[in-house]
Amino acid sequence: MEVQNIVQQEFLKCITHQCEIEGSSFSVEENKKDPTKLNVLIYGESNTIHQNGIYKAEFQFTKDFPEVRPEGKFISPLPYHSNIDENGKICLDYYNDWDSSTYNKKSFVILIENLCTLIHNQNNESCLRYSIGKEEQSNKQQYIQNVQKQALVCRQAFLDG
């Protein structure tokens, strides 16, 4: 099956599906420039330091899907987060868990749910940007201000679209 058809099938499964995960939500939209990609919008959870943030991620599907999970990364402007590097690459173990033998239509949604969890739960043991992880531990107030500031930058970039 062609990659485009696979992506379109996954897109149809998810596009009308906006999920709520403990107050956080996301939506999936078509990437009009590349049919092998899907865009994901992750909305910051209410009453958290990510409130009002809108973070954009992108998933690249290959012809080996679902045996190989789609590659995901955040798109600039990036969240202020120690587990996301300067290029949007994600570093967390649960993101890498992908079992094609148990793949079903919910697997892709679970992958996105993991990104929502990532946004709200920094793991300083898997830092890609050590300075952010260190800041969270040593200067919590400055860290919170930086997260909130970048959440608004990400939101504005989305709105300016």
Side-chain angles (χ1 to χ4, degrees), residues 50-116:
H50 294 279
Q51 181 173 317
N52 298 319
I54 300 175
Y55 307 106
K56 187 174 181 179
E58 174 183 271
F59 284 90
Q60 172 73 55
F61 290 78
T62 68
K63 62 180 174 57
D64 298 321
F65 177 80
E67 288 77 28
V68 176
R69 70 166 163 73
E71 285 296 318
K73 69 176 189 172
F74 282 90
I75 305 299
S76 186
L78 302 172
Y80 191 80
H81 203 288
S82 70
N83 304 117
I84 302 166
D85 76 7
E86 293 83 5
N87 298 313
K89 180 182 171 190
I90 302 157
C91 179
L92 276 183
D93 291 338
Y94 61 76
Y95 171 73
N96 292 320
D97 292 340
W98 183 266
D99 184 356
S100 64
S101 66
T102 60
Y103 177 81
N104 62 41
K105 67 182 183 179
K106 292 184 180 181
S107 297
F108 184 67
V109 172
I110 290 168
L111 189 66
I112 299 169
E113 288 174 350
N114 287 340
L115 289 184
C116 291

Side-chain angles (χ1 to χ4, degrees), residues 10-140:
E10 288 306 301
F11 172 72
L12 292 172
K13 290 175 189 173
C14 298
I15 191 65
T16 58
H17 187 67
Q18 186 167 352
C19 294
E20 287 261 344
I21 304 136
E22 298 177 17
S24 180
S25 63
F26 66 85
S27 60
V28 179
E29 63 184 21
E30 179 181 16
N31 184 315
K32 294 178 179 161
K33 294 180 182 176
D34 185 345
T36 65
K37 295 179 181 178
L38 289 177
N39 296 329
V40 176
L41 298 175
I42 298 172
Y43 306 98
E45 189 173 313
S46 300
N47 301 315
T48 72
I49 59 176
H50 294 279
Q51 181 173 317
N52 298 319
I54 300 175
Y55 307 106
K56 187 174 181 179
E58 174 183 271
F59 284 90
Q60 172 73 55
F61 290 78
T62 68
K63 62 180 174 57
D64 298 321
F65 177 80
E67 288 77 28
V68 176
R69 70 166 163 73
E71 285 296 318
K73 69 176 189 172
F74 282 90
I75 305 299
S76 186
L78 302 172
Y80 191 80
H81 203 288
S82 70
N83 304 117
I84 302 166
D85 76 7
E86 293 83 5
N87 298 313
K89 180 182 171 190
I90 302 157
C91 179
L92 276 183
D93 291 338
Y94 61 76
Y95 171 73
N96 292 320
D97 292 340
W98 183 266
D99 184 356
S100 64
S101 66
T102 60
Y103 177 81
N104 62 41
K105 67 182 183 179
K106 292 184 180 181
S107 297
F108 184 67
V109 172
I110 290 168
L111 189 66
I112 299 169
E113 288 174 350
N114 287 340
L115 289 184
C116 291
T117 301
L118 162 76
I119 287 294
H120 295 93
N121 298 288
Q122 186 163 279
N123 178 354
N124 289 323
E125 294 178 14
S126 296
C127 288
L128 291 172
R129 291 194 280 178
Y130 295 99
S131 61
I132 296 174
K134 185 176 179 180
E135 181 182 73
E136 183 196 25
Q137 294 174 337
S138 65
N139 190 346
K140 188 77 166 184

